[in-house]
Amino acid sequence: MTNISNDPRSKIKVVTMNGNLMPLNEAKVSITAPGLSYAALVFEGIRAYWNEKDKELFVFRLDDHLKRFANSMKILKFEKTPSLDLIKKQIIENILANDYKEDIYIRLQGYIDDWGEMAIRSPVSTSIVSYPRPRSIDFNKGKNFTVSSWQRLDDNASPPRVKASANYLNSRLASIQARESGYDGAILLTSNGKVSEGPGGCIFLIREGVIITPSVSSGILESITRDSVLKIAKEKKIRVESRDVDRTELYIADEIFYCGTGQEIMPILSVDKILAGEGKVGNVTALFQKKYTEIVRGKTKNFNFWITPIYFK
Ligand code: PMP
């Protein structure tokens, strides 16, 4: 049972369904909706960060999340979808109505509603749920990962580029296996045996000062955090390689980190019990963590185009 006082849902005043604000317990989906029965559902996980000094909440890369949301619906041939401008307005409205003054996470979903067979394209319903979500304590501590025996999904089977809930069965299997084996998380390999990504984030390795990440053709979600890391590296003139990554490179890397909206930039201290460098949070990882933290909280001018202020009038 969930302890209610620790349950972030206790802080939710309202959620949004098809643009209408309502209490969470009134937001219901039909058991006949293809979004449920055929997993015809796409989503985005977005963070917004509280800046205490400015008394402002900044949504991180909102337009990029909306663009990816549209691409997911396009690939799955959802029809008569709401405009991105409208969804953006509804997200802002949702946050304002909840009046959050802390770090939050926003879950946006688009799904085939009502009833019908698996290939039906409409009606599309949307939902927005926002709730408090502080940074994970593992951001400072790091995690220990294993290479999964589950294979990452392929683009021509169940494309990971689409942020569809159906793809998370693959992530679920890998996560459960990793935890049952005593690890914190998993790294999946592609059908060609190359490094793909983790169940909910992308992988970066640092070798001899070069940062290396599997390319967008490695069965990964086109991660917004991954893109942010690449752009920060460019600004800092750090050499980057986006390419095929071998499993054994994980075992000889100086540093490894896991990245995504939820994890932000999470150090990976070991893979299959082989330490990355000295098995501590490395200098390059720490540098990206620091820069990322400054950017998301609106503390650097040159990346301010990535953040959307909520309370600014
Ligand atoms: N890969 C997977 C499978 C994910 O679920 C996520 C989290 N959304 C990511 C990568 C990271 O993507 P983003 O940085 O856009 O959150």
Side-chain angles (χ1 to χ4, degrees), residues 254-269:
D254 302 319
E255 298 178 36
I256 308 174
F257 63 83
Y258 189 43
C259 77
T261 299
Q263 304 77 22
E264 306 184 275
I265 293 173
M266 178 85 68
I268 295 181
L269 308 180

Side-chain angles (χ1 to χ4, degrees), residues 150-154 188-197 214 217-220 244-245:
W150 291 100
Q151 185 182 297
R152 186 61 181 146
L153 299 166
D154 262 327
L188 291 112
L189 305 181
T190 66
S191 51
N192 294 327
K194 302 295 177 189
V195 175
S196 175
E197 63 177 344
S217 307
S218 308
I220 66 168
D244 277 358
V245 176

